[in-house]
Amino acid sequence: MTDAATPEPLLRVRGLTKHFPARGGRRRSGPVRAVDGLDFEVRAGETLGLVGESGCGKTTTGRLLVRLLEPTGGSIEFAGRDITHAGRRKLRPLRPDLQIIFQDPYASLNPRHTVGRIIAMPLQVNGITPAGGRKARVRELMELVGLNPEHYDRYPHEFSGGQRQRIGIARALAPGPRLVVADEPVSALDVSIQAQVVNLLRDLQRELGLAFVFIAHDLAVVRHFCQRVAVMYLGRIVEIGARDDIYERPRHPYTRALLSAVPEVTRSGPADRIRLTGDVPSALDPPSGCRFRTRCPKARDRCSVEEPALTRRDGADQAIACHYPEPEPGAVG
Amino acid sequence: MDPYLRVEDLRVSFNTTDGVVRAVDGLSFSVERGRTLGVVGESGSGKSVTSLAILGLHDPRRATVTGGITVGGRQLIGRPESEVRRLRGRDAAMIFQDPLSALHPYYPVGRQIAEAYRVHHRGAGRAETRRRVIELLDRVGIPQPGRRYDQYPHEFSGGMRQRVMIAMALVNDPDLLIADEPTTALDVTVQAQILELLADLQAESGTAIVLITHDLGVVSQVADEVLVMYAGRAVEQGTVEQVLLRPQHPYTWGLLSSVPSLRGDAEADLRPIPGNPPSLIDVPAGCAFHPRCRYAEHTAGRCGTELPELRAAGTAGHRVACHLRTEERARRYAEDVARVGVAR
């Protein structure tokens, strides 16, 4: 699917699947199909946003990418190497390149370690001794993310939520990663603080040329951070493409409904909203055919029997998994 | 019309080992029947403490509540608990943010709603109560309400649970509904459904609603009036159009320019408010916002010493607590917008 002219992607995901066994319960059921066949790529220095509602599999995807979870099927290639089932030893040389920022700035920092120790941990674990020593590097990182390096010996509880998220960011950046998976990095923060952290991540991404997989439910935040966006629904990608295509010219009915449901401060009321009924169905028992059909305003008979594949027109970048997508602007059919 | 809810100079403080936390510090507002007031603020601004005070839910051993809260013409503060209890759940009800922790996991949802009904309808029989609850479940859009009556909270999705909470709040036909972040835990497509439901129910029954939220978009879509809180006080008050489209307070400007949007330049940097919200144990002297305010230097030190009162500014009904003169503030803000291109 990659254009021959573009360089080899940093991350290539093919048919990625994660099923969790469902135990207990009164009903006999199959596994929870949390992630069910994802294809996407991230090039070096590129930011890809994964958006969707709860249960769409975006967090599971993030955890699969950094190999905190073992995939059930498919493949993950990072920097040309297959890491789908790589064990601890095989992953070790790649760990510094592949880091994660967690959502909860309270739960993801060890309360008994000083900030200096927390940020130095990836250096220590990976046996990295930067020129000038680890302590100097940690102070540098603290400065980089807008923390006072004098606070090196303080503990997480002495910091506010926004500052803690900066600690998590400094820790992820410590080993000099090429790809950072950020799982809802700002959703636990107040709006004024959220903007500070989004700006910081953007500056760092540009300055250091990092690739990001940015996982969020907030479509407006993703729009401000990502060059490319993948919209997920019940374990599948329904639409993927360049940011402006997704936000200005969405072609999947779900993308359109999702965008129109976001309340914004505007003069016009919610007049043009596409209303979806009901909740997202269970991933234990996803609908047959297209998984979105039970809530889709455009669903027809074909949608319940045939699952639409994620396809793109020759030469196009935007890919859609829908039997009846919105027409491309300026294109016939 | 006389407002249904009137809050006057409300103060709520807590004694802690670290000192006295002044969570709400002199707050006044009112809401009429059939209207929605959006209370906006970040964590620690005092918005949830205010909502608990309106329903008399603060533990008197821990919290000191003073000022006036009048619901339907009756003064609440200082009344014995038995009287407050008669009002709570009947005249005024609350919807909490997290329906999973607000519902009891061991009892079927129908029974929980029935309990709320029977507290205020002592003579109600079993069949009548069940009928009433099923009618409510149906009204809030829960399919097969008769069957759902006997199901447990874990058998409901997040959106359906929030509908159960709304049904429980409405079972006694309250005249005042306090919704504390009612859609924060929900997905956007479900949030849209719940907000629409609240608006429909209000149109039917003329309930006064206090909607507490951090989401300016939600307020803009459902509220009639807005109150912006900072460090336990109101900094700006007015209609949605006044506060969100013609904001006057530097904190409101900061909030609006912090929020990323689906429109406008995606490449432009967001303009966050510098610094962090203050500790409520040690609120800055003068205007609590002054250490984070880019205009505080223009008042010859007043912002750091003198507490600004809410005063009329702009069009009728719009009130702002800021020492800068309206024209000067507007001029400086316009200069800033021209310089860095802040939208809105």
Tab-separated table of all heavy atoms in Angstrom, chain A residues 53-54 160 190-193 195-196 199 202 206 220-221 223-224 243 263-266 270 273 275-279 295, chain B residues 42-43 157 187-191 193 196 217 220-221 255 258 260-264 266-270 272-273 275-276 292:
chain	number	residue	atom	x	y	z
A	53	GLU	N	-14.482	5.983	20.153
A	53	GLU	CA	-15.146	6.007	21.443
A	53	GLU	C	-14.675	4.838	22.299
A	53	GLU	O	-13.905	3.993	21.842
A	53	GLU	CB	-16.661	5.944	21.226
A	53	GLU	CG	-17.154	7.135	20.429
A	53	GLU	CD	-18.657	7.102	20.236
A	53	GLU	OE1	-19.136	6.429	19.327
A	53	GLU	OE2	-19.345	7.760	21.015
A	54	SER	N	-15.139	4.783	23.539
A	54	SER	CA	-14.673	3.717	24.421
A	54	SER	C	-15.018	2.360	23.820
A	54	SER	O	-16.063	2.189	23.211
A	54	SER	CB	-15.277	3.855	25.820
A	54	SER	OG	-16.594	4.312	25.760
A	160	SER	N	1.783	19.081	40.566
A	160	SER	CA	0.394	19.121	40.101
A	160	SER	C	0.211	18.116	38.963
A	160	SER	O	1.192	17.564	38.446
A	160	SER	CB	0.073	20.523	39.602
A	160	SER	OG	0.808	20.780	38.426
A	190	ASP	N	-6.929	19.595	33.368
A	190	ASP	CA	-7.828	20.729	33.173
A	190	ASP	C	-7.513	21.418	31.848
A	190	ASP	O	-6.371	21.395	31.388
A	190	ASP	CB	-7.630	21.739	34.301
A	190	ASP	CG	-8.537	21.447	35.474
A	190	ASP	OD1	-9.677	21.031	35.229
A	190	ASP	OD2	-8.107	21.628	36.616
A	191	VAL	N	-8.523	22.075	31.260
A	191	VAL	CA	-8.319	22.649	29.922
A	191	VAL	C	-7.119	23.576	29.824
A	191	VAL	O	-6.373	23.523	28.849
A	191	VAL	CB	-9.567	23.379	29.367
A	191	VAL	CG1	-10.521	22.407	28.749
A	191	VAL	CG2	-10.237	24.238	30.390
A	192	SER	N	-6.914	24.445	30.813
A	192	SER	CA	-5.810	25.395	30.682
A	192	SER	C	-4.472	24.654	30.719
A	192	SER	O	-3.515	25.029	30.054
A	192	SER	CB	-5.884	26.478	31.762
A	192	SER	OG	-5.575	25.957	33.022
A	193	ILE	N	-4.412	23.580	31.484
A	193	ILE	CA	-3.185	22.797	31.605
A	193	ILE	C	-3.027	21.892	30.388
A	193	ILE	O	-1.930	21.683	29.871
A	193	ILE	CB	-3.231	21.931	32.889
A	193	ILE	CG1	-3.585	22.776	34.105
A	193	ILE	CG2	-1.933	21.190	33.097
A	193	ILE	CD1	-2.659	23.934	34.362
A	195	ALA	N	-3.827	22.522	27.372
A	195	ALA	CA	-3.250	23.286	26.266
A	195	ALA	C	-1.742	23.425	26.432
A	195	ALA	O	-0.995	23.352	25.455
A	195	ALA	CB	-3.912	24.663	26.191
A	196	GLN	N	-1.285	23.595	27.674
A	196	GLN	CA	0.163	23.678	27.905
A	196	GLN	C	0.849	22.398	27.451
A	196	GLN	O	1.893	22.432	26.797
A	196	GLN	CB	0.473	23.871	29.400
A	196	GLN	CG	0.005	25.193	29.988
A	196	GLN	CD	0.219	25.251	31.509
A	196	GLN	OE1	0.797	24.347	32.101
A	196	GLN	NE2	-0.250	26.317	32.131
A	199	ASN	N	0.803	21.863	23.574
A	199	ASN	CA	1.833	22.702	22.948
A	199	ASN	C	3.227	22.127	23.166
A	199	ASN	O	4.058	22.100	22.257
A	199	ASN	CB	1.774	24.128	23.499
A	199	ASN	CG	0.628	24.933	22.890
A	199	ASN	OD1	-0.019	24.474	21.955
A	199	ASN	ND2	0.379	26.108	23.427
A	202	ARG	N	3.820	19.150	20.960
A	202	ARG	CA	3.987	19.580	19.577
A	202	ARG	C	5.378	20.147	19.340
A	202	ARG	O	6.030	19.836	18.341
A	202	ARG	CB	2.935	20.634	19.250
A	202	ARG	CG	2.040	20.185	18.120
A	202	ARG	CD	0.791	20.970	18.069
A	202	ARG	NE	1.031	22.349	17.674
A	202	ARG	CZ	0.229	23.016	16.849
A	202	ARG	NH1	-0.807	22.417	16.323
A	202	ARG	NH2	0.470	24.251	16.546
A	206	ARG	N	8.281	18.374	16.902
A	206	ARG	CA	8.919	19.081	15.786
A	206	ARG	C	10.420	19.196	15.996
A	206	ARG	O	11.205	18.964	15.084
A	206	ARG	CB	8.309	20.473	15.651
A	206	ARG	CG	6.908	20.395	15.091
A	206	ARG	CD	6.226	21.731	15.133
A	206	ARG	NE	4.849	21.597	14.656
A	206	ARG	CZ	3.948	22.554	14.727
A	206	ARG	NH1	4.273	23.732	15.249
A	206	ARG	NH2	2.737	22.362	14.276
A	220	ALA	N	-10.786	17.243	18.816
A	220	ALA	CA	-10.180	18.556	18.616
A	220	ALA	C	-8.707	18.531	19.011
A	220	ALA	O	-7.862	19.131	18.336
A	220	ALA	CB	-10.940	19.614	19.413
A	221	VAL	N	-8.379	17.810	20.081
A	221	VAL	CA	-6.976	17.706	20.493
A	221	VAL	C	-6.171	16.983	19.416
A	221	VAL	O	-5.077	17.412	19.047
A	221	VAL	CB	-6.858	16.968	21.853
A	221	VAL	CG1	-5.417	16.598	22.142
A	221	VAL	CG2	-7.415	17.819	22.976
A	223	ARG	N	-6.785	16.828	16.291
A	223	ARG	CA	-6.643	17.699	15.123
A	223	ARG	C	-5.463	18.661	15.295
A	223	ARG	O	-4.773	18.987	14.333
A	223	ARG	CB	-7.935	18.490	14.914
A	223	ARG	CG	-7.889	19.436	13.733
A	223	ARG	CD	-9.257	20.010	13.435
A	223	ARG	NE	-9.165	21.007	12.389
A	223	ARG	CZ	-8.997	22.305	12.630
A	223	ARG	NH1	-8.922	22.755	13.863
A	223	ARG	NH2	-8.899	23.148	11.628
A	224	HIS	N	-5.229	19.091	16.529
A	224	HIS	CA	-4.135	20.031	16.769
A	224	HIS	C	-2.781	19.358	16.836
A	224	HIS	O	-1.768	20.035	16.862
A	224	HIS	CB	-4.383	20.821	18.053
A	224	HIS	CG	-5.215	22.039	17.822
A	224	HIS	ND1	-4.670	23.279	17.617
A	224	HIS	CD2	-6.537	22.194	17.709
A	224	HIS	CE1	-5.641	24.151	17.409
A	224	HIS	NE2	-6.782	23.519	17.460
A	243	ARG	N	-4.942	14.532	8.015
A	243	ARG	CA	-5.800	15.250	8.955
A	243	ARG	C	-6.896	16.041	8.262
A	243	ARG	O	-8.076	15.915	8.603
A	243	ARG	CB	-4.945	16.198	9.803
A	243	ARG	CG	-5.784	17.027	10.773
A	243	ARG	CD	-4.986	18.154	11.368
A	243	ARG	NE	-4.528	19.070	10.342
A	243	ARG	CZ	-3.437	19.817	10.439
A	243	ARG	NH1	-2.686	19.734	11.508
A	243	ARG	NH2	-3.084	20.614	9.472
A	263	PRO	N	-19.465	18.955	20.898
A	263	PRO	CA	-20.032	20.281	21.169
A	263	PRO	C	-18.944	21.338	21.077
A	263	PRO	O	-17.873	21.188	21.624
A	263	PRO	CB	-20.555	20.152	22.603
A	263	PRO	CG	-19.792	19.045	23.220
A	263	PRO	CD	-19.271	18.166	22.119
A	264	GLU	N	-19.216	22.392	20.358
A	264	GLU	CA	-18.228	23.450	20.215
A	264	GLU	C	-18.838	24.784	20.597
A	264	GLU	O	-20.052	24.976	20.524
A	264	GLU	CB	-17.752	23.516	18.764
A	264	GLU	CG	-16.851	22.362	18.390
A	264	GLU	CD	-15.504	22.838	17.896
A	264	GLU	OE1	-15.436	23.327	16.748
A	264	GLU	OE2	-14.536	22.739	18.652
A	265	VAL	N	-17.977	25.708	21.006
A	265	VAL	CA	-18.442	27.058	21.301
A	265	VAL	C	-18.620	27.783	19.970
A	265	VAL	O	-17.657	28.180	19.342
A	265	VAL	CB	-17.424	27.804	22.179
A	265	VAL	CG1	-17.915	29.216	22.465
A	265	VAL	CG2	-17.174	27.055	23.466
A	266	THR	N	-19.877	27.870	19.534
A	266	THR	CA	-20.126	28.523	18.253
A	266	THR	C	-21.426	29.289	18.331
A	266	THR	O	-22.221	29.118	19.234
A	266	THR	CB	-20.311	27.495	17.112
A	266	THR	OG1	-21.283	26.541	17.530
A	266	THR	CG2	-19.034	26.825	16.754
A	270	PRO	N	-26.680	23.199	17.676
A	270	PRO	CA	-26.373	21.850	17.229
A	270	PRO	C	-27.267	21.414	16.062
A	270	PRO	O	-27.647	20.261	15.968
A	270	PRO	CB	-26.647	21.010	18.477
A	270	PRO	CG	-27.663	21.790	19.243
A	270	PRO	CD	-27.551	23.233	18.847
A	273	ARG	N	-26.406	18.393	13.469
A	273	ARG	CA	-25.877	17.189	14.096
A	273	ARG	C	-26.459	15.926	13.470
A	273	ARG	O	-27.647	15.831	13.224
A	273	ARG	CB	-26.186	17.228	15.591
A	273	ARG	CG	-25.746	15.991	16.326
A	273	ARG	CD	-25.746	16.219	17.806
A	273	ARG	NE	-24.730	17.202	18.161
A	273	ARG	CZ	-24.752	17.906	19.288
A	273	ARG	NH1	-25.718	17.761	20.147
A	273	ARG	NH2	-23.787	18.751	19.552
A	275	ARG	N	-27.490	12.422	14.328
A	275	ARG	CA	-27.775	11.738	15.584
A	275	ARG	C	-27.565	10.241	15.440
A	275	ARG	O	-28.103	9.621	14.536
A	275	ARG	CB	-29.203	12.024	16.008
A	275	ARG	CG	-29.384	13.441	16.472
A	275	ARG	CD	-30.852	13.760	16.701
A	275	ARG	NE	-30.978	15.112	17.199
A	275	ARG	CZ	-30.928	16.191	16.413
A	275	ARG	NH1	-30.749	16.062	15.118
A	275	ARG	NH2	-31.029	17.398	16.931
A	276	LEU	N	-26.775	9.700	16.352
A	276	LEU	CA	-26.626	8.252	16.395
A	276	LEU	C	-27.479	7.760	17.541
A	276	LEU	O	-27.507	8.362	18.606
A	276	LEU	CB	-25.172	7.871	16.658
A	276	LEU	CG	-24.179	8.112	15.535
A	276	LEU	CD1	-22.825	7.544	15.938
A	276	LEU	CD2	-24.650	7.465	14.254
A	277	THR	N	-28.165	6.661	17.335
A	277	THR	CA	-28.954	6.111	18.424
A	277	THR	C	-28.158	5.004	19.098
A	277	THR	O	-27.280	4.390	18.492
A	277	THR	CB	-30.280	5.531	17.907
A	277	THR	OG1	-29.975	4.685	16.810
A	277	THR	CG2	-31.215	6.626	17.461
A	278	GLY	N	-28.466	4.768	20.348
A	278	GLY	CA	-27.886	3.643	21.063
A	278	GLY	C	-26.418	3.831	21.391
A	278	GLY	O	-25.822	4.868	21.129
A	279	ASP	N	-25.847	2.789	22.000
A	279	ASP	CA	-24.457	2.787	22.395
A	279	ASP	C	-23.662	1.899	21.449
A	279	ASP	O	-24.226	1.176	20.643
A	279	ASP	CB	-24.315	2.245	23.818
A	279	ASP	CG	-24.841	3.218	24.846
A	279	ASP	OD1	-24.696	4.437	24.629
A	279	ASP	OD2	-25.403	2.766	25.848
A	295	ARG	N	-25.917	1.276	14.070
A	295	ARG	CA	-26.140	2.676	14.428
A	295	ARG	C	-26.052	3.582	13.207
A	295	ARG	O	-26.140	4.800	13.328
A	295	ARG	CB	-25.107	3.122	15.465
A	295	ARG	CG	-25.157	2.321	16.750
A	295	ARG	CD	-24.002	2.687	17.659
A	295	ARG	NE	-24.215	3.938	18.356
A	295	ARG	CZ	-23.225	4.679	18.864
A	295	ARG	NH1	-21.980	4.294	18.732
A	295	ARG	NH2	-23.496	5.796	19.500
B	42	GLU	N	-12.441	25.068	36.392
B	42	GLU	CA	-11.520	23.944	36.390
B	42	GLU	C	-11.591	23.243	37.741
B	42	GLU	O	-12.316	23.672	38.637
B	42	GLU	CB	-10.108	24.453	36.106
B	42	GLU	CG	-10.022	25.134	34.755
B	42	GLU	CD	-8.615	25.562	34.424
B	42	GLU	OE1	-8.208	26.659	34.832
B	42	GLU	OE2	-7.915	24.799	33.772
B	43	SER	N	-10.794	22.174	37.897
B	43	SER	CA	-10.848	21.484	39.189
B	43	SER	C	-10.435	22.448	40.300
B	43	SER	O	-9.534	23.261	40.127
B	43	SER	CB	-9.949	20.247	39.220
B	43	SER	OG	-9.139	20.148	38.111
B	157	SER	N	-25.217	-0.190	29.769
B	157	SER	CA	-24.049	0.514	29.236
B	157	SER	C	-23.944	1.868	29.938
B	157	SER	O	-24.861	2.291	30.652
B	157	SER	CB	-24.225	0.727	27.746
B	157	SER	OG	-25.300	1.615	27.515
B	187	ASP	N	-19.135	8.897	26.018
B	187	ASP	CA	-18.603	9.175	24.686
B	187	ASP	C	-19.393	10.297	24.032
B	187	ASP	O	-20.554	10.506	24.351
B	187	ASP	CB	-18.722	7.916	23.828
B	187	ASP	CG	-17.674	6.896	24.203
B	187	ASP	OD1	-16.527	7.296	24.444
B	187	ASP	OD2	-17.996	5.703	24.259
B	188	VAL	N	-18.755	10.979	23.062
B	188	VAL	CA	-19.424	12.152	22.482
B	188	VAL	C	-20.760	11.853	21.840
B	188	VAL	O	-21.695	12.640	21.972
B	188	VAL	CB	-18.564	12.926	21.443
B	188	VAL	CG1	-17.594	13.839	22.137
B	188	VAL	CG2	-17.914	12.023	20.458
B	189	THR	N	-20.888	10.715	21.147
B	189	THR	CA	-22.170	10.456	20.487
B	189	THR	C	-23.258	10.192	21.532
B	189	THR	O	-24.413	10.557	21.337
B	189	THR	CB	-22.092	9.260	19.511
B	189	THR	OG1	-21.693	8.101	20.224
B	189	THR	CG2	-21.112	9.521	18.389
B	190	VAL	N	-22.872	9.594	22.666
B	190	VAL	CA	-23.835	9.340	23.737
B	190	VAL	C	-24.100	10.635	24.507
B	190	VAL	O	-25.228	10.917	24.915
B	190	VAL	CB	-23.311	8.225	24.667
B	190	VAL	CG1	-24.292	7.958	25.784
B	190	VAL	CG2	-23.054	6.955	23.871
B	191	GLN	N	-23.056	11.436	24.691
B	191	GLN	CA	-23.216	12.741	25.331
B	191	GLN	C	-24.272	13.566	24.607
B	191	GLN	O	-25.141	14.184	25.233
B	191	GLN	CB	-21.878	13.484	25.318
B	191	GLN	CG	-22.000	14.959	25.609
B	191	GLN	CD	-20.643	15.611	25.827
B	191	GLN	OE1	-20.037	15.474	26.883
B	191	GLN	NE2	-20.163	16.311	24.838
B	193	GLN	N	-26.772	12.519	22.936
B	193	GLN	CA	-28.106	11.975	23.242
B	193	GLN	C	-28.591	12.447	24.612
B	193	GLN	O	-29.747	12.840	24.771
B	193	GLN	CB	-28.074	10.443	23.263
B	193	GLN	CG	-27.750	9.785	21.933
B	193	GLN	CD	-27.424	8.294	22.101
B	193	GLN	OE1	-27.649	7.725	23.162
B	193	GLN	NE2	-26.885	7.675	21.068
B	196	GLU	N	-29.495	16.152	24.772
B	196	GLU	CA	-30.766	16.360	24.093
B	196	GLU	C	-31.937	15.918	24.983
B	196	GLU	O	-32.967	16.601	25.068
B	196	GLU	CB	-30.757	15.543	22.806
B	196	GLU	CG	-31.625	16.104	21.719
B	196	GLU	CD	-31.259	15.467	20.383
B	196	GLU	OE1	-30.104	15.624	19.934
B	196	GLU	OE2	-32.118	14.800	19.818
B	217	GLY	N	-17.897	23.761	25.425
B	217	GLY	CA	-18.735	23.405	24.288
B	217	GLY	C	-20.113	22.938	24.753
B	217	GLY	O	-21.132	23.325	24.189
B	220	SER	N	-22.112	25.873	25.917
B	220	SER	CA	-22.546	26.706	24.806
B	220	SER	C	-23.757	26.115	24.098
B	220	SER	O	-24.590	26.832	23.563
B	220	SER	CB	-21.370	26.919	23.853
B	220	SER	OG	-21.685	26.558	22.550
B	221	GLN	N	-23.881	24.773	24.138
B	221	GLN	CA	-24.975	24.152	23.418
B	221	GLN	C	-26.256	24.019	24.246
B	221	GLN	O	-27.323	23.974	23.673
B	221	GLN	CB	-24.565	22.766	22.920
B	221	GLN	CG	-23.253	22.797	22.176
B	221	GLN	CD	-23.367	22.366	20.751
B	221	GLN	OE1	-24.007	21.392	20.442
B	221	GLN	NE2	-22.720	23.093	19.870
B	255	LEU	N	-9.504	30.533	29.064
B	255	LEU	CA	-10.154	29.230	28.908
B	255	LEU	C	-10.509	28.992	27.442
B	255	LEU	O	-10.248	27.934	26.886
B	255	LEU	CB	-11.439	29.170	29.736
B	255	LEU	CG	-11.352	28.829	31.206
B	255	LEU	CD1	-12.755	28.758	31.794
B	255	LEU	CD2	-10.627	27.510	31.416
B	258	SER	N	-7.649	28.243	25.238
B	258	SER	CA	-6.970	26.983	25.566
B	258	SER	C	-7.608	25.802	24.875
B	258	SER	O	-6.983	24.766	24.702
B	258	SER	CB	-7.056	26.705	27.068
B	258	SER	OG	-6.423	27.692	27.806
B	260	PRO	N	-8.864	23.403	22.204
B	260	PRO	CA	-8.671	23.166	20.774
B	260	PRO	C	-10.027	23.064	20.092
B	260	PRO	O	-11.013	22.701	20.706
B	260	PRO	CB	-7.926	21.833	20.723
B	260	PRO	CG	-8.176	21.186	22.032
B	260	PRO	CD	-8.495	22.254	23.026
B	261	SER	N	-10.064	23.417	18.810
B	261	SER	CA	-11.338	23.454	18.107
B	261	SER	C	-11.278	22.604	16.842
B	261	SER	O	-10.208	22.275	16.344
B	261	SER	CB	-11.644	24.908	17.743
B	261	SER	OG	-12.661	24.951	16.775
B	262	LEU	N	-12.449	22.243	16.345
B	262	LEU	CA	-12.512	21.511	15.073
B	262	LEU	C	-12.429	22.468	13.898
B	262	LEU	O	-12.333	22.053	12.754
B	262	LEU	CB	-13.811	20.706	14.988
B	262	LEU	CG	-13.960	19.561	15.968
B	262	LEU	CD1	-15.292	18.870	15.771
B	262	LEU	CD2	-12.825	18.562	15.801
B	263	ARG	N	-12.537	23.771	14.197
B	263	ARG	CA	-12.452	24.762	13.125
B	263	ARG	C	-11.191	25.584	13.312
B	263	ARG	O	-10.490	25.444	14.297
B	263	ARG	CB	-13.673	25.678	13.168
B	263	ARG	CG	-14.973	24.937	12.953
B	263	ARG	CD	-16.152	25.877	13.103
B	263	ARG	NE	-17.410	25.164	12.927
B	263	ARG	CZ	-17.971	24.423	13.876
B	263	ARG	NH1	-17.399	24.310	15.049
B	263	ARG	NH2	-19.107	23.785	13.652
B	264	GLY	N	-10.931	26.444	12.366
B	264	GLY	CA	-9.790	27.341	12.489
B	264	GLY	C	-8.491	26.651	12.133
B	264	GLY	O	-8.474	25.517	11.655
B	266	ALA	N	-5.446	24.562	12.336
B	266	ALA	CA	-5.005	23.428	13.146
B	266	ALA	C	-3.521	23.538	13.493
B	266	ALA	O	-3.050	22.931	14.446
B	266	ALA	CB	-5.269	22.115	12.407
B	267	GLU	N	-2.778	24.325	12.710
B	267	GLU	CA	-1.339	24.436	12.953
B	267	GLU	C	-1.020	25.460	14.039
B	267	GLU	O	0.058	25.450	14.613
B	267	GLU	CB	-0.616	24.831	11.658
B	267	GLU	CG	-0.619	23.743	10.586
B	267	GLU	CD	0.152	22.504	11.032
B	267	GLU	OE1	1.196	22.649	11.680
B	267	GLU	OE2	-0.316	21.386	10.744
B	268	ALA	N	-1.970	26.377	14.292
B	268	ALA	CA	-1.710	27.424	15.279
B	268	ALA	C	-1.567	26.817	16.667
B	268	ALA	O	-2.254	25.858	17.007
B	268	ALA	CB	-2.845	28.447	15.261
B	269	ASP	N	-0.665	27.391	17.467
B	269	ASP	CA	-0.517	26.928	18.832
B	269	ASP	C	-1.750	27.291	19.641
B	269	ASP	O	-2.386	28.315	19.396
B	269	ASP	CB	0.695	27.598	19.483
B	269	ASP	CG	1.944	26.754	19.317
B	269	ASP	OD1	1.818	25.544	19.041
B	269	ASP	OD2	3.041	27.310	19.456
B	270	LEU	N	-2.085	26.433	20.607
B	270	LEU	CA	-3.116	26.806	21.574
B	270	LEU	C	-2.500	27.851	22.487
B	270	LEU	O	-1.292	27.924	22.638
B	270	LEU	CB	-3.536	25.575	22.379
B	270	LEU	CG	-4.065	24.406	21.565
B	270	LEU	CD1	-4.255	23.195	22.450
B	270	LEU	CD2	-5.372	24.791	20.907
B	272	PRO	N	-2.434	28.542	26.138
B	272	PRO	CA	-2.817	28.131	27.477
B	272	PRO	C	-2.707	29.293	28.456
B	272	PRO	O	-2.046	30.287	28.188
B	272	PRO	CB	-1.808	27.044	27.825
B	272	PRO	CG	-0.708	27.157	26.852
B	272	PRO	CD	-1.109	28.055	25.746
B	273	ILE	N	-3.381	29.158	29.592
B	273	ILE	CA	-3.188	30.091	30.685
B	273	ILE	C	-1.909	29.651	31.392
B	273	ILE	O	-1.778	28.471	31.730
B	273	ILE	CB	-4.380	30.020	31.659
B	273	ILE	CG1	-5.670	30.310	30.909
B	273	ILE	CG2	-4.178	30.985	32.817
B	273	ILE	CD1	-6.921	30.004	31.717
B	275	GLY	N	0.871	28.860	34.252
B	275	GLY	CA	0.779	28.498	35.661
B	275	GLY	C	-0.326	27.517	35.965
B	275	GLY	O	-0.908	26.913	35.069
B	276	ASN	N	-0.621	27.365	37.257
B	276	ASN	CA	-1.606	26.403	37.728
B	276	ASN	C	-2.669	27.110	38.560
B	276	ASN	O	-2.416	28.172	39.105
B	276	ASN	CB	-0.924	25.353	38.609
B	276	ASN	CG	-0.076	24.405	37.788
B	276	ASN	OD1	-0.582	23.618	37.007
B	276	ASN	ND2	1.236	24.515	37.931
B	292	ARG	N	-1.739	34.761	37.272
B	292	ARG	CA	-1.740	34.122	35.949
B	292	ARG	C	-2.257	35.074	34.874
B	292	ARG	O	-2.403	34.687	33.721
B	292	ARG	CB	-2.625	32.871	35.972
B	292	ARG	CG	-2.216	31.849	37.023
B	292	ARG	CD	-3.220	30.695	37.090
B	292	ARG	NE	-3.086	29.772	35.967
B	292	ARG	CZ	-3.958	28.812	35.684
B	292	ARG	NH1	-5.034	28.674	36.446
B	292	ARG	NH2	-3.769	28.019	34.662
